[in-house]
């Protein structure tokens, strides 16, 4: 069962997929109904999920489920990953490559490869207060309140 993204409860579980490139407005217009259709049909062991999906910042695909209504399962998560793979093929974009990290600097998104991160921190290009789009955020409340968040408040804290 589809619910609008902005009506998700704070505890709703989210999965964030970062696109390898910005999603164009034309692609966004084509993807939005696909997201709603997927969320409408998404189920776990035959039970409809209270689900939603959204594109944020023309770069992030967010799938969500209200776990307090119906918990997702391994099978439902597999369905979502297959859906993301279908989007990748259809739009020639990667959502499953975790080798690029997205930061917000001076109002612009900057991608840094995982391999470059240590050098960027050492050079001072990225510091503990640099805003980071942490794709490991797991619930809607944190996504709304703390995203992007200072790098030090994420798994990147070990670099500072």
């Amino acid at each position: 069962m589809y619910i609008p993204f902005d009506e998700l409860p704070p505890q709703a579980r989210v999965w964030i997929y970062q696109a390898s490139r910005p999603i164009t407005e034309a692609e966004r217009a084509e993807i939005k109904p696909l997201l709603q259709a997927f969320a409408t049909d998404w189920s776990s062991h035959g039970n409809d999920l209270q689900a939603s999906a959204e594109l944020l910042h023309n770069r992030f695909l967010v799938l969500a489920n209200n776990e307090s209504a119906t918990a997702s399962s391994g099978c439902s998560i597999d369905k979502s990953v297959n859906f993301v793979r279908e989007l990748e093929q259809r739009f020639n974009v990667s959502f499953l490559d975790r080798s690029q990290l997205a930061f917000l600097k001076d109002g612009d998104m900057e991608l840094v490869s995982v391999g470059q991160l240590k050098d960027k921190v050492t050079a001072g290009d990225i510091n503990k207060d640099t805003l980071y789009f942490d794709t490991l955020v797991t619930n809607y409340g944190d996504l709304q309140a703390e995203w992007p968040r200072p790098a030090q408040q994420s798994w990147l804290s070990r670099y500072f």
Side-chain angles (χ1 to χ4, degrees), residues 8-45:
L8 287 164
Q11 74 278 5
R13 185 170 176 193
V14 295
W15 295 265
I16 304 170
Y17 300 92
Q18 180 178 307
S20 56
R21 61 169 175 77
I23 304 300
T24 68
E25 285 305 314
E27 290 170 329
R28 188 176 176 84
E30 196 174 339
I31 291 171
K32 293 275 290 180
L34 298 173
L35 296 178
Q36 186 167 349
F38 173 76
T40 299
D41 294 337
W42 198 12
S43 64
S44 175
H45 299 292

Side-chain angles (χ1 to χ4, degrees), residues 22-94:
I23 304 300
T24 68
E25 285 305 314
E27 290 170 329
R28 188 176 176 84
E30 196 174 339
I31 291 171
K32 293 275 290 180
L34 298 173
L35 296 178
Q36 186 167 349
F38 173 76
T40 299
D41 294 337
W42 198 12
S43 64
S44 175
H45 299 292
N47 297 313
D48 288 342
L49 300 178
Q50 284 187 3
S52 194
E54 188 65 71
L55 285 170
L56 300 177
H57 303 283
N58 292 326
R59 179 73 76 161
F60 302 95
L61 168 62
V62 182
L63 302 179
N65 177 46
N66 179 4
E67 296 275 311
S68 61
T70 305
S72 56
S73 64
C75 292
S76 62
I77 293 169
D78 287 348
K79 288 178 193 175
S80 69
V81 172
N82 288 336
F83 171 69
V84 171
R85 285 188 176 128
E86 289 171 14
L87 291 177
E88 284 184 320
Q89 289 180 345
R90 183 169 178 173
F91 294 96
N92 195 30
V93 62
S94 174

Side-chain angles (χ1 to χ4, degrees), residues 74-139:
C75 292
S76 62
I77 293 169
D78 287 348
K79 288 178 193 175
S80 69
V81 172
N82 288 336
F83 171 69
V84 171
R85 285 188 176 128
E86 289 171 14
L87 291 177
E88 284 184 320
Q89 289 180 345
R90 183 169 178 173
F91 294 96
N92 195 30
V93 62
S94 174
F95 285 106
L96 299 171
D97 177 8
R98 300 280 185 174
S99 67
Q100 297 289 316
L101 308 174
F103 295 89
L104 186 62
K105 293 184 69 181
D106 301 320
D108 292 322
M109 190 171 304
E110 179 180 330
L111 296 183
V112 174
S113 73
V114 172
Q116 294 176 312
L117 182 60
K118 189 174 180 181
D119 291 339
K120 291 278 195 177
V121 170
T122 301
D125 294 334
I126 295 172
N127 63 52
K128 63 185 177 84
D129 297 316
T130 304
L131 295 178
Y132 170 56
F133 290 97
D134 187 358
T135 57
L136 300 180
V137 167
T138 59
N139 69 64

Side-chain angles (χ1 to χ4, degrees), residues 135-157:
T135 57
L136 300 180
V137 167
T138 59
N139 69 64
Y140 181 75
D142 286 347
L143 182 73
Q144 292 302 102
E146 304 172 357
W147 203 74
R149 63 174 59 171
Q152 182 172 320
Q153 296 175 13
S154 74
W155 67 272
L156 298 175
S157 64

